[in-house]
Amino acid sequence: MPVITSPQEFNVEDLYVDLSAVFDRRLYLKCEGFNFAGSIKLKAATSMVDAAERAGRLGPGSTLVESSSGNLGIALSIIAASRGYGFVCVTDSRCNLTTRQLMESLGSTVHVIAEPDRDGGFLGARINYVRALCASDSRYVWLNQYANPDNWGAHFRTTAPAIAQRFPDLDVLFVGAGTTGTLMGCARYFHELGRKVRIVAVDAVGSVTFGGPPSPRMIPGLGTSVRPQLLDESYVDDVVHVAEPDTIRACHRLASRGFLFGGSTGTVVAGALSWLEEHADGEDVTAVAIAPDLGERYLDTLYQRNWLQDIYGDHVVAAIDAPDAYDALAR
């Protein structure tokens, strides 16, 4: 049994769920939610903080500040608490209440942006607030997950090599696109490795990351209203956009088989099933999708019928209970 001295030392790297019994598709789900932060964001957070410390940007008296829809905020809250830094998370009204409470329980300050920026949406408004905060006091240090190469570097060094080792015959990898740190780290790794692995980015409908038109999004995690600086589309083979009702159906189908995952995972799974239906129907391909987190933080949203009804209407709630609607994702 491993013995650790800090929470960021613990991460379960080699855990996969075979989804063939759930969706009748050969798709393996890499589960990244089994660490103290509960999500894949602990890797990027640790990598960025370590680099800032080596560069002398972080030291005694520093306060981290970052824009986050939730998971990175929790990861940075844990690291800040364990290393003696302050932390201010700038989020918006879509952040789950449970996520905000977790950060505050760890001693972090959570600032909620209530109004979106006219051009940059909620993300633009969050970034503007972060910049203003840093300009007001030199003790604030912004890691800037949207442009920080240590974000994708974490997955280049850990996530992608673990997948490559576990699946030497990997044909296609599905990665959700938020900051695109996980996407770029994995895509760059397989490109440099020389493995012919097809990299498919999964994005949310309404996200501008890959040039689509902006529209309101209620499920945090994937998608952006400002194109991430980390993104280099030359490493991406395909892009799939997933509507939020399909995310919800995928999450509830997984939950009906005992797997409680978050919204980002539901989006990635729905996108992977859609791509496999179109491009690999009947073919024997080895496919892996990355699940960023688990579902406990979404109990008052994705798994709360009243919330779903208020946001999406009766037809989406009815589809959750319809087996044919689930099965349509796998056809």
Side-chain angles (χ1 to χ4, degrees), residues 145-166:
Q145 62 166 328
Y146 310 101
N148 193 326
D150 292 297
N151 182 349
W152 68 258
H155 304 289
F156 185 92
R157 294 187 297 270
T158 61
T159 309
I163 295 170
Q165 182 177 6
R166 177 63 177 79

Side-chain angles (χ1 to χ4, degrees), residues 19 23 25-29 172-175 200-203 240-242 250 265-280 285 287-290 329-331:
L19 295 182
F23 294 105
R25 287 283 186 184
R26 190 184 178 197
L27 176 65
Y28 297 97
L29 193 60
V172 57
L173 177 64
F174 299 97
V175 189
V200 180
V202 182
D203 198 10
V240 179
H241 285 89
V242 175
T265 298
T267 302
V268 172
V269 168
L273 294 171
S274 173
W275 188 94
L276 289 169
E277 178 184 4
E278 180 178 353
H279 298 278
V285 299
V288 171
I290 298 176
L329 286 171
R331 285 201 296 266

Side-chain angles (χ1 to χ4, degrees), residues 23-87:
F23 294 105
D24 196 27
R25 287 283 186 184
R26 190 184 178 197
L27 176 65
Y28 297 97
L29 193 60
K30 187 179 193 305
C31 302
E32 291 282 352
F34 293 94
N35 59 54
F36 279 101
S39 81
I40 196 171
K41 289 292 188 177
L42 184 61
K43 294 177 178 179
T46 303
S47 175
M48 292 188 293
V49 170
D50 286 347
E53 288 177 337
R54 290 193 300 269
R57 294 179 59 217
L58 275 175
S62 294
T63 295
L64 291 162
V65 58
E66 186 59 79
S67 159
S68 171
S69 62
N71 282 335
L72 183 73
I74 292 173
L76 286 173
S77 294
I78 288 173
I79 293 172
S82 68
R83 301 192 188 187
Y85 301 123
F87 174 52

Side-chain angles (χ1 to χ4, degrees), residues 75-147:
L76 286 173
S77 294
I78 288 173
I79 293 172
S82 68
R83 301 192 188 187
Y85 301 123
F87 174 52
V88 178
C89 181
V90 181
T91 188
D92 60 59
S93 54
R94 297 169 300 177
C95 180
N96 297 325
L97 176 61
T98 301
T99 296
R100 298 202 300 267
Q101 291 174 330
L102 274 170
M103 289 188 279
E104 290 169 344
S105 296
L106 290 161
S108 299
T109 299
V110 180
H111 180 84
V112 180
I113 298 292
E115 295 294 331
D117 182 77
R118 184 167 57 182
D119 298 319
F122 277 112
L123 177 56
R126 280 159 36 186
I127 291 174
N128 289 339
Y129 185 87
V130 169
R131 286 179 172 144
L133 196 63
C134 291
S136 72
D137 193 325
S138 61
R139 289 174 295 183
Y140 289 113
V141 177
W142 181 26
L143 298 172
N144 192 0
Q145 62 166 328
Y146 310 101

